[in-house]
Every structure is written in C-alpha cells, then in structure tokens.
Amino acid sequence: MAAREVGGVVLGQTADKLFSLSGLFAVYKPKGPTSASVLNLLKERLLAEAGVQTKGNKRSQLLKMGHGGTLDSAAAGVLVVGIGKGTKMLRTMLAGSKKYTAIGLLGKATDTLDATGKVTEEKPYDQITKGDLENVLQKFTGDIMQVPPLYSALKKDGERLSTLMKRGEAVEAKPARPVRVYSLSLQQFQPPLFTLDVECGGGFYVRSLVSDIGKELSTCATMQELTRTKQGPFTLEEHALYEDKWTIDEIARSLEHCTSLLPGEPSHKKLKTEHPSETAVSSE
C-alpha cells in the first residue's frame, strides 16, 4: 500500500493500523516515572514504530491517548490506557474498584506519607503485635471518612497541592471525605514492616490509610512501597503490557481481549466520587 499524507503527516500501512486502534488496555507502570511520562513514552514508541513523520509537537498530538487513575512516581502497577474513542471510557475507570498491595513502615512519619518525603516524626513501635494490627484494620473497612494527603494531585486554585507544597506555600488540608474500602487484610508482619492488600473505591489514598493506621496504633507509619494489582476489570497479572510488549500488534491483540472485560464490570462502578477527575492514589 502506498503511503498517504494526512494533514502534513505521511501515513503508511502500519500508521493506518495504529490510528484505527480504539478502546481500553492496560500497561505496567514501573516505579520511578510519573504516569504522564509513561503515557508519553508509550505514545512515542507507537508513533516511531508507525514511522509517522511530522514537525515539532504536532506528532504526538495526532495520536489520541489518555490514562485513567494516576499512580505516583514511587508507585508501580496497572495503568489503564484509553486510545481513540477509548479515552471517553476512562472516567468509568476512575469510579471503579482498585486493588493494591502496600508495604508500610511503623515508627516513622514523613511529610508526603511515603518513602519519598522528609521524616517528620519517630515513635516506638515495639509494643505492637500482629493481633493489634489486624484488629485496627477492621476500623478502616467499609464506608469511612478520609483526609487526603497534602502532597496530592488534588487542586487549589487550579494548581496541584503537591506543586504548592514543593514551592513552600502554606496549604490547608482538604476536609475529610467519604471513601469506600471493600476489603483490607494483613498479608505479612515483620516489624517494623507490614504488608497490606486493599480493595477500594475511587478517591482513596493508600498513603493516608497507612498513616491513619499508625496513629490508631499510638505510633506513626509511612508507606514504603505501593503496587496497584487491579483497576476495574484489568489485573496486573493478566492484562498489563510490559514495555517490551509496547507494539502496535500487541496493543491491537490486547484491545481485542480486553473488550470482553468491559461489559462484565461489577457493580462497583456504580460508586460515584464527588470529584472523579481527582481520583488518584498518590500524586505525581
């Protein structure tokens, strides 16, 4: 097939296939980059494979892609991506349930509530038993109220709270808001570390959960590691494409496979958050 030109961009057969892709699929976001930078890298890979040639930023604007549910740079796991008309379906991903595995550290608190921040407090934790921790978890299951962290993707006057905090500006904590925890269990307890599995609804911050658990135990705690293992119907084990699979053909296969997942999304998606666009476990 001869290459054709659209809007100053040369499109060949491979590019035609890329621009015909539409729907939702999942990729693995590693620890380190932001969700936005992972999406940009994915887009660049696909455009390069398609041999799309154009000037400046126009190249990346040609391919319509987005992600649903921000994972911060220190977190890893499932990141749901919409391509083509699939970008309009991402909002339902924000309201659906998500599963995480989190490792918490007892005895230390940080300003960001995770390992990237500065230590703000240290307290003894030797008195805490596995039973104490398991009992406390019951208080954080079901419909609860949660105060979002100051370092977050939530916004004030159009700017992220995390951006304002990094500039040293005074930021007031957002009021507590209702969130839902479908399940919460202790997987491992090796003081000072403990590992949790949590399934939650939209707008939930695992960092805040770990911090609140520390306070409830009369000590403090901060999140050391976070992995999202499921978002809506997409699981890390079955659906997330690792970087070596970021090809047009692999994504086409994944889109076809994932289409069957979407109609069967459980009733969790009926759970609405007041601000779905703010749904993120951590800030970038």
PDB file of all heavy atoms in Angstrom, residues 141-178:
ATOM      1  N   THR A 141     -12.391  -0.559  57.316  1.00  0.00           N
ATOM      2  CA  THR A 141     -13.098  -1.320  56.285  1.00  0.00           C
ATOM      3  C   THR A 141     -14.535  -0.830  56.170  1.00  0.00           C
ATOM      4  O   THR A 141     -15.159  -0.481  57.167  1.00  0.00           O
ATOM      5  CB  THR A 141     -13.074  -2.822  56.617  1.00  0.00           C
ATOM      6  OG1 THR A 141     -11.721  -3.234  56.817  1.00  0.00           O
ATOM      7  CG2 THR A 141     -13.675  -3.645  55.496  1.00  0.00           C
ATOM      8  N   GLY A 142     -15.048  -0.778  54.950  1.00  0.00           N
ATOM      9  CA  GLY A 142     -16.416  -0.301  54.723  1.00  0.00           C
ATOM     10  C   GLY A 142     -16.419   1.147  54.282  1.00  0.00           C
ATOM     11  O   GLY A 142     -15.476   1.634  53.659  1.00  0.00           O
ATOM     12  N   ASP A 143     -17.477   1.877  54.610  1.00  0.00           N
ATOM     13  CA  ASP A 143     -17.572   3.305  54.278  1.00  0.00           C
ATOM     14  C   ASP A 143     -16.938   4.103  55.409  1.00  0.00           C
ATOM     15  O   ASP A 143     -17.432   4.088  56.541  1.00  0.00           O
ATOM     16  CB  ASP A 143     -19.038   3.710  54.102  1.00  0.00           C
ATOM     17  CG  ASP A 143     -19.657   3.069  52.868  1.00  0.00           C
ATOM     18  OD1 ASP A 143     -18.972   3.010  51.834  1.00  0.00           O
ATOM     19  OD2 ASP A 143     -20.808   2.608  52.942  1.00  0.00           O
ATOM     20  N   ILE A 144     -15.857   4.790  55.097  1.00  0.00           N
ATOM     21  CA  ILE A 144     -15.131   5.546  56.113  1.00  0.00           C
ATOM     22  C   ILE A 144     -14.882   6.970  55.628  1.00  0.00           C
ATOM     23  O   ILE A 144     -15.088   7.288  54.462  1.00  0.00           O
ATOM     24  CB  ILE A 144     -13.774   4.873  56.468  1.00  0.00           C
ATOM     25  CG1 ILE A 144     -12.850   4.842  55.229  1.00  0.00           C
ATOM     26  CG2 ILE A 144     -13.992   3.471  57.015  1.00  0.00           C
ATOM     27  CD1 ILE A 144     -11.422   4.407  55.523  1.00  0.00           C
ATOM     28  N   MET A 145     -14.424   7.826  56.540  1.00  0.00           N
ATOM     29  CA  MET A 145     -14.036   9.188  56.178  1.00  0.00           C
ATOM     30  C   MET A 145     -12.508   9.243  56.139  1.00  0.00           C
ATOM     31  O   MET A 145     -11.829   8.663  56.976  1.00  0.00           O
ATOM     32  CB  MET A 145     -14.570  10.188  57.202  1.00  0.00           C
ATOM     33  CG  MET A 145     -16.088  10.237  57.303  1.00  0.00           C
ATOM     34  SD  MET A 145     -16.889  10.798  55.771  1.00  0.00           S
ATOM     35  CE  MET A 145     -16.452  12.556  55.800  1.00  0.00           C
ATOM     36  N   GLN A 146     -11.981   9.958  55.128  1.00  0.00           N
ATOM     37  CA  GLN A 146     -10.527  10.033  54.975  1.00  0.00           C
ATOM     38  C   GLN A 146     -10.102  11.444  54.578  1.00  0.00           C
ATOM     39  O   GLN A 146     -10.721  12.073  53.725  1.00  0.00           O
ATOM     40  CB  GLN A 146     -10.059   9.035  53.903  1.00  0.00           C
ATOM     41  CG  GLN A 146      -8.543   8.948  53.775  1.00  0.00           C
ATOM     42  CD  GLN A 146      -8.116   8.063  52.608  1.00  0.00           C
ATOM     43  OE1 GLN A 146      -8.331   8.405  51.451  1.00  0.00           O
ATOM     44  NE2 GLN A 146      -7.500   6.914  52.921  1.00  0.00           N
ATOM     45  N   VAL A 147      -9.037  11.928  55.214  1.00  0.00           N
ATOM     46  CA  VAL A 147      -8.453  13.226  54.850  1.00  0.00           C
ATOM     47  C   VAL A 147      -7.370  12.967  53.807  1.00  0.00           C
ATOM     48  O   VAL A 147      -6.421  12.225  54.065  1.00  0.00           O
ATOM     49  CB  VAL A 147      -7.827  13.923  56.073  1.00  0.00           C
ATOM     50  CG1 VAL A 147      -7.163  15.233  55.655  1.00  0.00           C
ATOM     51  CG2 VAL A 147      -8.885  14.175  57.141  1.00  0.00           C
ATOM     52  N   PRO A 148      -7.490  13.560  52.612  1.00  0.00           N
ATOM     53  CA  PRO A 148      -6.472  13.358  51.569  1.00  0.00           C
ATOM     54  C   PRO A 148      -5.135  13.950  52.003  1.00  0.00           C
ATOM     55  O   PRO A 148      -5.089  14.924  52.757  1.00  0.00           O
ATOM     56  CB  PRO A 148      -7.022  14.127  50.365  1.00  0.00           C
ATOM     57  CG  PRO A 148      -8.474  14.324  50.646  1.00  0.00           C
ATOM     58  CD  PRO A 148      -8.594  14.412  52.138  1.00  0.00           C
ATOM     59  N   PRO A 149      -4.015  13.394  51.551  1.00  0.00           N
ATOM     60  CA  PRO A 149      -2.696  13.938  51.906  1.00  0.00           C
ATOM     61  C   PRO A 149      -2.466  15.312  51.273  1.00  0.00           C
ATOM     62  O   PRO A 149      -3.041  15.634  50.235  1.00  0.00           O
ATOM     63  CB  PRO A 149      -1.714  12.909  51.342  1.00  0.00           C
ATOM     64  CG  PRO A 149      -2.470  12.161  50.306  1.00  0.00           C
ATOM     65  CD  PRO A 149      -3.911  12.193  50.700  1.00  0.00           C
ATOM     66  N   LEU A 150      -1.613  16.108  51.911  1.00  0.00           N
ATOM     67  CA  LEU A 150      -1.289  17.436  51.375  1.00  0.00           C
ATOM     68  C   LEU A 150      -0.511  17.318  50.069  1.00  0.00           C
ATOM     69  O   LEU A 150      -0.731  18.077  49.137  1.00  0.00           O
ATOM     70  CB  LEU A 150      -0.484  18.236  52.400  1.00  0.00           C
ATOM     71  CG  LEU A 150      -1.264  18.741  53.609  1.00  0.00           C
ATOM     72  CD1 LEU A 150      -0.325  19.404  54.608  1.00  0.00           C
ATOM     73  CD2 LEU A 150      -2.341  19.728  53.181  1.00  0.00           C
ATOM     74  N   TYR A 151       0.416  16.362  50.023  1.00  0.00           N
ATOM     75  CA  TYR A 151       1.129  16.109  48.763  1.00  0.00           C
ATOM     76  C   TYR A 151       0.243  15.204  47.919  1.00  0.00           C
ATOM     77  O   TYR A 151       0.277  13.983  48.048  1.00  0.00           O
ATOM     78  CB  TYR A 151       2.471  15.422  49.032  1.00  0.00           C
ATOM     79  CG  TYR A 151       3.575  16.368  49.423  1.00  0.00           C
ATOM     80  CD1 TYR A 151       3.788  16.690  50.755  1.00  0.00           C
ATOM     81  CD2 TYR A 151       4.408  16.949  48.468  1.00  0.00           C
ATOM     82  CE1 TYR A 151       4.810  17.558  51.130  1.00  0.00           C
ATOM     83  CE2 TYR A 151       5.429  17.816  48.832  1.00  0.00           C
ATOM     84  CZ  TYR A 151       5.621  18.115  50.165  1.00  0.00           C
ATOM     85  OH  TYR A 151       6.629  18.977  50.532  1.00  0.00           O
ATOM     86  N   SER A 152      -0.580  15.801  47.069  1.00  0.00           N
ATOM     87  CA  SER A 152      -1.519  15.013  46.269  1.00  0.00           C
ATOM     88  C   SER A 152      -1.826  15.723  44.961  1.00  0.00           C
ATOM     89  O   SER A 152      -1.418  16.854  44.725  1.00  0.00           O
ATOM     90  CB  SER A 152      -2.814  14.780  47.054  1.00  0.00           C
ATOM     91  OG  SER A 152      -3.573  15.973  47.132  1.00  0.00           O
ATOM     92  N   ALA A 153      -2.587  15.013  44.116  1.00  0.00           N
ATOM     93  CA  ALA A 153      -2.972  15.575  42.818  1.00  0.00           C
ATOM     94  C   ALA A 153      -4.214  16.460  42.933  1.00  0.00           C
ATOM     95  O   ALA A 153      -4.652  17.042  41.944  1.00  0.00           O
ATOM     96  CB  ALA A 153      -3.230  14.440  41.821  1.00  0.00           C
ATOM     97  N   LEU A 154      -4.788  16.550  44.131  1.00  0.00           N
ATOM     98  CA  LEU A 154      -5.931  17.439  44.320  1.00  0.00           C
ATOM     99  C   LEU A 154      -5.478  18.877  44.095  1.00  0.00           C
ATOM    100  O   LEU A 154      -4.311  19.213  44.292  1.00  0.00           O
ATOM    101  CB  LEU A 154      -6.512  17.282  45.729  1.00  0.00           C
ATOM    102  CG  LEU A 154      -7.011  15.879  46.097  1.00  0.00           C
ATOM    103  CD1 LEU A 154      -7.651  15.894  47.471  1.00  0.00           C
ATOM    104  CD2 LEU A 154      -8.010  15.359  45.072  1.00  0.00           C
ATOM    105  N   LYS A 155      -6.410  19.720  43.706  1.00  0.00           N
ATOM    106  CA  LYS A 155      -6.021  21.079  43.308  1.00  0.00           C
ATOM    107  C   LYS A 155      -6.630  22.174  44.174  1.00  0.00           C
ATOM    108  O   LYS A 155      -7.689  22.014  44.746  1.00  0.00           O
ATOM    109  CB  LYS A 155      -6.414  21.310  41.835  1.00  0.00           C
ATOM    110  CG  LYS A 155      -5.623  20.453  40.857  1.00  0.00           C
ATOM    111  CD  LYS A 155      -6.007  20.731  39.415  1.00  0.00           C
ATOM    112  CE  LYS A 155      -5.168  19.882  38.463  1.00  0.00           C
ATOM    113  NZ  LYS A 155      -5.507  20.127  37.050  1.00  0.00           N
ATOM    114  N   LYS A 156      -5.891  23.280  44.223  1.00  0.00           N
ATOM    115  CA  LYS A 156      -6.368  24.505  44.857  1.00  0.00           C
ATOM    116  C   LYS A 156      -6.076  25.637  43.876  1.00  0.00           C
ATOM    117  O   LYS A 156      -4.927  25.810  43.451  1.00  0.00           O
ATOM    118  CB  LYS A 156      -5.627  24.758  46.183  1.00  0.00           C
ATOM    119  CG  LYS A 156      -6.042  26.067  46.860  1.00  0.00           C
ATOM    120  CD  LYS A 156      -5.146  26.377  48.045  1.00  0.00           C
ATOM    121  CE  LYS A 156      -5.503  27.721  48.643  1.00  0.00           C
ATOM    122  NZ  LYS A 156      -4.578  28.121  49.720  1.00  0.00           N
ATOM    123  N   ASP A 157      -7.109  26.367  43.495  1.00  0.00           N
ATOM    124  CA  ASP A 157      -6.971  27.464  42.521  1.00  0.00           C
ATOM    125  C   ASP A 157      -6.272  26.997  41.239  1.00  0.00           C
ATOM    126  O   ASP A 157      -5.406  27.684  40.683  1.00  0.00           O
ATOM    127  CB  ASP A 157      -6.195  28.638  43.138  1.00  0.00           C
ATOM    128  CG  ASP A 157      -6.902  29.202  44.366  1.00  0.00           C
ATOM    129  OD1 ASP A 157      -8.154  29.137  44.404  1.00  0.00           O
ATOM    130  OD2 ASP A 157      -6.216  29.680  45.286  1.00  0.00           O
ATOM    131  N   GLY A 158      -6.608  25.784  40.807  1.00  0.00           N
ATOM    132  CA  GLY A 158      -6.083  25.278  39.542  1.00  0.00           C
ATOM    133  C   GLY A 158      -4.709  24.638  39.604  1.00  0.00           C
ATOM    134  O   GLY A 158      -4.210  24.141  38.607  1.00  0.00           O
ATOM    135  N   GLU A 159      -4.075  24.646  40.775  1.00  0.00           N
ATOM    136  CA  GLU A 159      -2.749  24.048  40.901  1.00  0.00           C
ATOM    137  C   GLU A 159      -2.784  22.876  41.875  1.00  0.00           C
ATOM    138  O   GLU A 159      -3.506  22.892  42.873  1.00  0.00           O
ATOM    139  CB  GLU A 159      -1.722  25.071  41.403  1.00  0.00           C
ATOM    140  CG  GLU A 159      -1.261  26.042  40.346  1.00  0.00           C
ATOM    141  CD  GLU A 159       0.048  26.710  40.747  1.00  0.00           C
ATOM    142  OE1 GLU A 159       1.120  26.144  40.470  1.00  0.00           O
ATOM    143  OE2 GLU A 159      -0.008  27.788  41.342  1.00  0.00           O
ATOM    144  N   ARG A 160      -1.982  21.860  41.553  1.00  0.00           N
ATOM    145  CA  ARG A 160      -1.920  20.701  42.438  1.00  0.00           C
ATOM    146  C   ARG A 160      -1.377  21.092  43.808  1.00  0.00           C
ATOM    147  O   ARG A 160      -0.452  21.898  43.906  1.00  0.00           O
ATOM    148  CB  ARG A 160      -1.022  19.613  41.827  1.00  0.00           C
ATOM    149  CG  ARG A 160      -1.638  18.936  40.615  1.00  0.00           C
ATOM    150  CD  ARG A 160      -0.780  17.784  40.151  1.00  0.00           C
ATOM    151  NE  ARG A 160      -1.453  17.051  39.095  1.00  0.00           N
ATOM    152  CZ  ARG A 160      -1.074  15.849  38.683  1.00  0.00           C
ATOM    153  NH1 ARG A 160      -0.023  15.285  39.231  1.00  0.00           N
ATOM    154  NH2 ARG A 160      -1.743  15.225  37.729  1.00  0.00           N
ATOM    155  N   LEU A 161      -1.938  20.456  44.849  1.00  0.00           N
ATOM    156  CA  LEU A 161      -1.460  20.725  46.205  1.00  0.00           C
ATOM    157  C   LEU A 161       0.025  20.378  46.326  1.00  0.00           C
ATOM    158  O   LEU A 161       0.786  21.075  46.991  1.00  0.00           O
ATOM    159  CB  LEU A 161      -2.268  19.911  47.230  1.00  0.00           C
ATOM    160  CG  LEU A 161      -3.759  20.211  47.349  1.00  0.00           C
ATOM    161  CD1 LEU A 161      -4.360  19.435  48.515  1.00  0.00           C
ATOM    162  CD2 LEU A 161      -4.016  21.705  47.558  1.00  0.00           C
ATOM    163  N   SER A 162       0.439  19.281  45.658  1.00  0.00           N
ATOM    164  CA  SER A 162       1.848  18.869  45.735  1.00  0.00           C
ATOM    165  C   SER A 162       2.775  19.942  45.162  1.00  0.00           C
ATOM    166  O   SER A 162       3.863  20.182  45.683  1.00  0.00           O
ATOM    167  CB  SER A 162       2.057  17.541  45.002  1.00  0.00           C
ATOM    168  OG  SER A 162       1.590  17.623  43.671  1.00  0.00           O
ATOM    169  N   THR A 163       2.329  20.606  44.100  1.00  0.00           N
ATOM    170  CA  THR A 163       3.134  21.672  43.485  1.00  0.00           C
ATOM    171  C   THR A 163       3.271  22.852  44.443  1.00  0.00           C
ATOM    172  O   THR A 163       4.362  23.425  44.603  1.00  0.00           O
ATOM    173  CB  THR A 163       2.492  22.151  42.166  1.00  0.00           C
ATOM    174  OG1 THR A 163       2.331  21.032  41.299  1.00  0.00           O
ATOM    175  CG2 THR A 163       3.353  23.196  41.481  1.00  0.00           C
ATOM    176  N   LEU A 164       2.165  23.218  45.089  1.00  0.00           N
ATOM    177  CA  LEU A 164       2.183  24.323  46.051  1.00  0.00           C
ATOM    178  C   LEU A 164       3.082  23.990  47.236  1.00  0.00           C
ATOM    179  O   LEU A 164       3.846  24.841  47.715  1.00  0.00           O
ATOM    180  CB  LEU A 164       0.757  24.613  46.538  1.00  0.00           C
ATOM    181  CG  LEU A 164      -0.247  25.083  45.474  1.00  0.00           C
ATOM    182  CD1 LEU A 164      -1.651  25.174  46.075  1.00  0.00           C
ATOM    183  CD2 LEU A 164       0.162  26.437  44.899  1.00  0.00           C
ATOM    184  N   MET A 165       3.000  22.739  47.721  1.00  0.00           N
ATOM    185  CA  MET A 165       3.813  22.320  48.858  1.00  0.00           C
ATOM    186  C   MET A 165       5.302  22.389  48.518  1.00  0.00           C
ATOM    187  O   MET A 165       6.112  22.851  49.320  1.00  0.00           O
ATOM    188  CB  MET A 165       3.452  20.893  49.263  1.00  0.00           C
ATOM    189  CG  MET A 165       2.067  20.739  49.891  1.00  0.00           C
ATOM    190  SD  MET A 165       1.979  21.397  51.575  1.00  0.00           S
ATOM    191  CE  MET A 165       2.956  20.191  52.464  1.00  0.00           C
ATOM    192  N   LYS A 166       5.664  21.930  47.304  1.00  0.00           N
ATOM    193  CA  LYS A 166       7.076  21.933  46.904  1.00  0.00           C
ATOM    194  C   LYS A 166       7.632  23.346  46.784  1.00  0.00           C
ATOM    195  O   LYS A 166       8.824  23.570  46.933  1.00  0.00           O
ATOM    196  CB  LYS A 166       7.239  21.188  45.575  1.00  0.00           C
ATOM    197  CG  LYS A 166       7.105  19.680  45.715  1.00  0.00           C
ATOM    198  CD  LYS A 166       7.035  18.988  44.375  1.00  0.00           C
ATOM    199  CE  LYS A 166       6.755  17.502  44.540  1.00  0.00           C
ATOM    200  NZ  LYS A 166       6.527  16.811  43.256  1.00  0.00           N
ATOM    201  N   ARG A 167       6.731  24.312  46.527  1.00  0.00           N
ATOM    202  CA  ARG A 167       7.151  25.724  46.449  1.00  0.00           C
ATOM    203  C   ARG A 167       7.250  26.349  47.836  1.00  0.00           C
ATOM    204  O   ARG A 167       7.652  27.498  47.974  1.00  0.00           O
ATOM    205  CB  ARG A 167       6.144  26.510  45.615  1.00  0.00           C
ATOM    206  CG  ARG A 167       6.297  26.321  44.115  1.00  0.00           C
ATOM    207  CD  ARG A 167       5.913  27.566  43.346  1.00  0.00           C
ATOM    208  NE  ARG A 167       4.542  27.977  43.587  1.00  0.00           N
ATOM    209  CZ  ARG A 167       3.523  27.715  42.761  1.00  0.00           C
ATOM    210  NH1 ARG A 167       3.725  27.044  41.644  1.00  0.00           N
ATOM    211  NH2 ARG A 167       2.305  28.122  43.050  1.00  0.00           N
ATOM    212  N   GLY A 168       6.830  25.600  48.835  1.00  0.00           N
ATOM    213  CA  GLY A 168       6.908  26.103  50.199  1.00  0.00           C
ATOM    214  C   GLY A 168       5.722  26.948  50.614  1.00  0.00           C
ATOM    215  O   GLY A 168       5.769  27.635  51.639  1.00  0.00           O
ATOM    216  N   GLU A 169       4.650  26.914  49.822  1.00  0.00           N
ATOM    217  CA  GLU A 169       3.465  27.705  50.160  1.00  0.00           C
ATOM    218  C   GLU A 169       2.627  26.985  51.230  1.00  0.00           C
ATOM    219  O   GLU A 169       2.602  25.757  51.297  1.00  0.00           O
ATOM    220  CB  GLU A 169       2.610  27.940  48.908  1.00  0.00           C
ATOM    221  CG  GLU A 169       3.310  28.805  47.863  1.00  0.00           C
ATOM    222  CD  GLU A 169       2.405  29.150  46.692  1.00  0.00           C
ATOM    223  OE1 GLU A 169       1.176  29.136  46.882  1.00  0.00           O
ATOM    224  OE2 GLU A 169       2.938  29.437  45.604  1.00  0.00           O
ATOM    225  N   ALA A 170       1.950  27.779  52.038  1.00  0.00           N
ATOM    226  CA  ALA A 170       1.091  27.209  53.079  1.00  0.00           C
ATOM    227  C   ALA A 170      -0.151  26.600  52.432  1.00  0.00           C
ATOM    228  O   ALA A 170      -0.829  27.256  51.649  1.00  0.00           O
ATOM    229  CB  ALA A 170       0.687  28.296  54.074  1.00  0.00           C
ATOM    230  N   VAL A 171      -0.413  25.348  52.759  1.00  0.00           N
ATOM    231  CA  VAL A 171      -1.565  24.639  52.190  1.00  0.00           C
ATOM    232  C   VAL A 171      -2.387  24.039  53.316  1.00  0.00           C
ATOM    233  O   VAL A 171      -1.856  23.362  54.192  1.00  0.00           O
ATOM    234  CB  VAL A 171      -1.104  23.512  51.229  1.00  0.00           C
ATOM    235  CG1 VAL A 171      -2.305  22.737  50.709  1.00  0.00           C
ATOM    236  CG2 VAL A 171      -0.300  24.091  50.061  1.00  0.00           C
ATOM    237  N   GLU A 172      -3.677  24.337  53.294  1.00  0.00           N
ATOM    238  CA  GLU A 172      -4.572  23.753  54.303  1.00  0.00           C
ATOM    239  C   GLU A 172      -5.040  22.386  53.840  1.00  0.00           C
ATOM    240  O   GLU A 172      -5.280  22.166  52.653  1.00  0.00           O
ATOM    241  CB  GLU A 172      -5.796  24.653  54.521  1.00  0.00           C
ATOM    242  CG  GLU A 172      -5.491  25.915  55.303  1.00  0.00           C
ATOM    243  CD  GLU A 172      -6.762  26.699  55.609  1.00  0.00           C
ATOM    244  OE1 GLU A 172      -7.854  26.102  55.556  1.00  0.00           O
ATOM    245  OE2 GLU A 172      -6.648  27.902  55.885  1.00  0.00           O
ATOM    246  N   ALA A 173      -5.157  21.472  54.803  1.00  0.00           N
ATOM    247  CA  ALA A 173      -5.621  20.129  54.471  1.00  0.00           C
ATOM    248  C   ALA A 173      -7.054  20.190  53.946  1.00  0.00           C
ATOM    249  O   ALA A 173      -7.867  20.989  54.410  1.00  0.00           O
ATOM    250  CB  ALA A 173      -5.547  19.234  55.705  1.00  0.00           C
ATOM    251  N   LYS A 174      -7.341  19.357  52.960  1.00  0.00           N
ATOM    252  CA  LYS A 174      -8.712  19.237  52.463  1.00  0.00           C
ATOM    253  C   LYS A 174      -9.546  18.564  53.548  1.00  0.00           C
ATOM    254  O   LYS A 174      -9.044  17.761  54.331  1.00  0.00           O
ATOM    255  CB  LYS A 174      -8.740  18.369  51.193  1.00  0.00           C
ATOM    256  CG  LYS A 174      -8.086  19.012  49.984  1.00  0.00           C
ATOM    257  CD  LYS A 174      -9.069  19.860  49.207  1.00  0.00           C
ATOM    258  CE  LYS A 174      -8.453  20.366  47.914  1.00  0.00           C
ATOM    259  NZ  LYS A 174      -9.403  21.135  47.102  1.00  0.00           N
ATOM    260  N   PRO A 175     -10.853  18.875  53.612  1.00  0.00           N
ATOM    261  CA  PRO A 175     -11.695  18.221  54.624  1.00  0.00           C
ATOM    262  C   PRO A 175     -11.824  16.728  54.362  1.00  0.00           C
ATOM    263  O   PRO A 175     -11.661  16.269  53.217  1.00  0.00           O
ATOM    264  CB  PRO A 175     -13.043  18.930  54.467  1.00  0.00           C
ATOM    265  CG  PRO A 175     -13.029  19.505  53.088  1.00  0.00           C
ATOM    266  CD  PRO A 175     -11.609  19.834  52.798  1.00  0.00           C
ATOM    267  N   ALA A 176     -12.099  15.980  55.430  1.00  0.00           N
ATOM    268  CA  ALA A 176     -12.309  14.535  55.287  1.00  0.00           C
ATOM    269  C   ALA A 176     -13.482  14.290  54.350  1.00  0.00           C
ATOM    270  O   ALA A 176     -14.454  15.045  54.342  1.00  0.00           O
ATOM    271  CB  ALA A 176     -12.582  13.916  56.653  1.00  0.00           C
ATOM    272  N   ARG A 177     -13.379  13.244  53.543  1.00  0.00           N
ATOM    273  CA  ARG A 177     -14.464  12.938  52.616  1.00  0.00           C
ATOM    274  C   ARG A 177     -14.748  11.440  52.643  1.00  0.00           C
ATOM    275  O   ARG A 177     -13.876  10.638  53.007  1.00  0.00           O
ATOM    276  CB  ARG A 177     -14.100  13.393  51.205  1.00  0.00           C
ATOM    277  CG  ARG A 177     -12.827  12.790  50.655  1.00  0.00           C
ATOM    278  CD  ARG A 177     -12.475  13.455  49.341  1.00  0.00           C
ATOM    279  NE  ARG A 177     -11.428  12.734  48.638  1.00  0.00           N
ATOM    280  CZ  ARG A 177     -10.988  13.076  47.435  1.00  0.00           C
ATOM    281  NH1 ARG A 177     -11.490  14.119  46.816  1.00  0.00           N
ATOM    282  NH2 ARG A 177     -10.043  12.371  46.848  1.00  0.00           N
ATOM    283  N   PRO A 178     -15.950  11.046  52.254  1.00  0.00           N
ATOM    284  CA  PRO A 178     -16.297   9.616  52.319  1.00  0.00           C
ATOM    285  C   PRO A 178     -15.595   8.803  51.241  1.00  0.00           C
ATOM    286  O   PRO A 178     -15.523   9.214  50.082  1.00  0.00           O
ATOM    287  CB  PRO A 178     -17.817   9.617  52.097  1.00  0.00           C
ATOM    288  CG  PRO A 178     -18.114  10.890  51.365  1.00  0.00           C
ATOM    289  CD  PRO A 178     -17.094  11.883  51.818  1.00  0.00           C
TER     290      PRO A 178
END
